[in-house]
Amino acid sequence: MQADPKLVALRRGLLEPLVLATVESRQRYAAEILAALQEAHFPAQEGTLYPLLSKLRRDGLVQHEWRESPSGPPRKYFSLTGAGTAQLAAFRGYWNELTHMINTIGR
């Protein structure tokens, strides 16, 4: 069964706010972010996540720190910056407006 292209485009647009939300309350490394997205049943892949994390860092929305790993090389742990917190709040506000519109229009 093939997904509706309109819904796929909508889902693609949600990746950034969802990634920001995954690091809102605690630092996570990329594999943890991916696992959180998949646990929420959001279909994300490493090939999409890593470039997005780099973009979010360049845009000043997330920062990272290197930490030693008990099982392998050091890992980058990501967290929100002040700008990232503001952007996530803006996404949530806009999402609430859209939800309200969809739920009330035509009634």
Side-chain angles (χ1 to χ4, degrees):
M1 181 171 159
Q2 190 167 354
D4 182 333
K6 291 176 186 174
L7 297 179
V8 171
L10 178 61
R11 186 174 58 226
R12 191 175 303 120
L14 291 174
L15 182 58
E16 182 175 323
L18 289 174
V19 168
L20 293 175
T22 64
V23 297
E24 177 180 27
S25 61
R26 71 180 179 102
Q27 294 180 329
R28 295 181 194 236
Y29 64 96
E32 290 177 320
I33 295 169
L34 188 61
L37 293 169
Q38 291 172 344
E39 186 176 310
H41 304 287
F42 189 85
Q45 299 175 346
E46 284 183 20
T48 305
L49 180 61
Y50 285 104
L52 178 59
L53 287 169
S54 292
K55 177 191 175 301
L56 293 174
R57 189 181 56 75
R58 283 191 312 273
D59 291 348
L61 302 177
V62 299
Q63 58 193 2
H64 72 269
E65 72 177 50
W66 287 97
R67 290 192 201 159
E68 291 298 321
S69 168
S71 59
R75 296 174 175 160
K76 279 185 192 178
Y77 279 79
F78 293 89
S79 61
L80 288 182
T81 62
T85 299
Q87 183 66 60
L88 181 57
F91 278 133
R92 284 183 170 140
Y94 189 59
W95 183 261
N96 288 334
E97 289 176 25
L98 292 174
T99 301
H100 178 74
M101 281 187 261
I102 290 170
N103 290 334
T104 59
I105 197 165
R107 288 189 177 184

